[in-house]
Amino acid sequence: MAVKIRLARRGRKKLAKFDVIVADARAPRDGRFIEKIGTYDPLTNPATIDLNEDKAFQWLMNGAQPSDTVKAMLAYRGIMLRKHLQIGVVKGAITQEAADKKLEEWKQAKAAKIQTKKDTLSQSKQAQAKARKEAETKVKEARTEAIRKKAQVVEAAAQAAPAAEAEAEAPAAPEGDVQA
């Protein structure tokens, strides 16, 4: 029986989530499986991968073959490196302590890299929000200025109208008569 570690889809249309499962290679994608070892949510940034690393490692060491996507996820979490180092320990190439030390160093570097990405994403999100707010402020100021100018024009017209009416009501002096 060929055993695969692969994804099983769940969730609604356009909002997919996946279970990381261990299943017989002949079983359907969303059908019968042997064990669920984690979940994967590709819609978050960065993607959320929740795995039982010990179970995944155990299945890999027992010969389960990961699909391409799951293999990338396992490599991202360091499980493939752990398998590689464990095979070296079994063959006698390195000691268990050295393998554990290498794995721990790699995990710390990876965690720092992930945190840097999260920080960069949050900073860019804040910068975009600030830019949007500044653009809205400029539009608001432009509207306020336009309203103020329009009010000045209306006010000037209102002041000019009574003066024009006063001139129209006052009798005009005849041109021939000059007042001394």
Side-chain angles (χ1 to χ4, degrees), residues 47-124:
T48 305
I49 301 169
D50 181 34
L51 281 173
N52 183 338
E53 294 181 7
D54 293 331
K55 284 287 187 182
F57 176 72
Q58 179 186 358
W59 279 105
L60 282 174
M61 292 305 290
N62 287 338
Q65 296 297 312
S67 67
D68 293 339
T69 305
V70 173
K71 188 173 186 177
M73 289 173 19
L74 295 174
Y76 179 80
R77 295 296 295 259
I79 299 169
M80 296 302 287
L81 176 63
R82 182 177 171 192
K83 177 187 174 193
H84 174 74
L85 292 172
Q86 189 61 36
I87 289 172
V89 169
V90 170
K91 289 183 178 181
I94 59 173
T95 64
Q96 185 67 45
E97 293 81 22
D100 291 343
K101 184 179 176 185
K102 280 186 179 182
L103 182 64
E104 195 57 41
E105 289 172 358
W106 183 88
K107 282 188 174 185
Q108 289 176 353
K110 187 68 170 184
K113 194 185 242 186
I114 291 169
Q115 189 60 40
T116 303
K117 181 176 181 178
K118 287 181 180 178
D119 293 342
T120 304
L121 286 171
S122 69
Q123 288 174 354
S124 68

Side-chain angles (χ1 to χ4, degrees), residues 138-177:
K138 285 181 182 180
V139 168
K140 182 181 175 184
E141 289 172 355
R143 283 186 186 145
T144 305
E145 184 64 25
I147 291 170
R148 189 182 60 77
K149 286 183 180 179
K150 191 174 185 181
Q152 284 179 348
V153 169
V154 170
E155 185 178 313
Q159 289 176 356
E165 289 176 12
E167 287 181 15
E169 290 178 5
E175 292 180 19
D177 295 334

